Amino acid sequence: MKQQVNIKKLDDRAVIPTYGTAFSAGADLYACMDGPVTIAPGETYLVHTGISVAVPEGYAGLIYARSGLATKKGLAPANKVGVIDADYRGEIMVALHNHSAQPAEIDNGERIAQMVITPFLTAEFVERDELDETERGTGGFGSTGTK
Ligand SMILES: O=c1ccn([C@H]2C[C@H](O)[C@@H](COP(=O)(O)OP(=O)(O)OP(=O)(O)O)O2)c(=O)[nH]1
């Protein structure tokens, strides 16, 4: 089901995010820049998108890597997942990190990341002496076996 989300262009060249297919979870974000930029191996470059988005209350925009860009050019967000808060009205920026051993180029209008708009719970943390028991208990970090 689609829901309207308000978006503002901060730059004439900005491109409104697009979903690749009808069931895509992430909307592709487009670079908004003067021209091509080369990101050196191990370097992080803050990419403008030229847009700000009013994410609805109770939701967050989560910015993930595009798998193609990450595997072909080694470019993925330095912060792993960017969190766009519902009260943020600034420009959405993507901190692209070059994880590869080669320089990687991105250009204006290139799709550089994807944003999933997802609901979340705002917790009221209540401190207790004991928590309810579960089958897993305290097991984690591979505790259920090696396969
Ligand atoms: O990849 C990102 C991550 C964040 N933001 C924007 C939207 C977000 O709402 C705001 C703050 O992000 P975050 O909470 O991750 O930043 P912080 O480093 O914790 O700083 P702050 O004190 O501003 O919260 O920055 C982006 O544009 N791109």
Side-chain angles (χ1 to χ4, degrees), residues 63 79 82-85 88 91-93:
I63 298 182
N79 47 350
V83 179
I84 308 300
D85 301 295
Y88 180 68
E91 180 177 7
I92 293 183
M93 303 290 290

Side-chain angles (χ1 to χ4, degrees), residues 46-124:
L46 212 47
V47 184
H48 287 263
T49 63
I51 54 163
S52 59
V53 176
V55 172
E57 191 181 329
Y59 293 76
L62 300 182
I63 298 182
Y64 295 96
R66 294 187 65 232
S67 55
L69 197 67
T71 53
K72 288 175 192 153
K73 293 191 188 176
L75 294 175
N79 47 350
K80 312 302 180 192
V81 180
V83 179
I84 308 300
D85 301 295
D87 54 359
Y88 180 68
R89 294 293 176 271
E91 180 177 7
I92 293 183
M93 303 290 290
V94 179
L96 268 192
H97 185 82
N98 183 355
H99 296 270
S100 81
Q102 318 297 330
E105 190 180 274
I106 51 162
D107 204 351
N108 180 47
E110 187 167 342
R111 293 172 296 161
I112 36 116
Q114 57 181 320
M115 178 171 70
V116 177
I117 299 177
T118 186
F120 64 88
L121 181 76
T122 300
E124 180 190 348

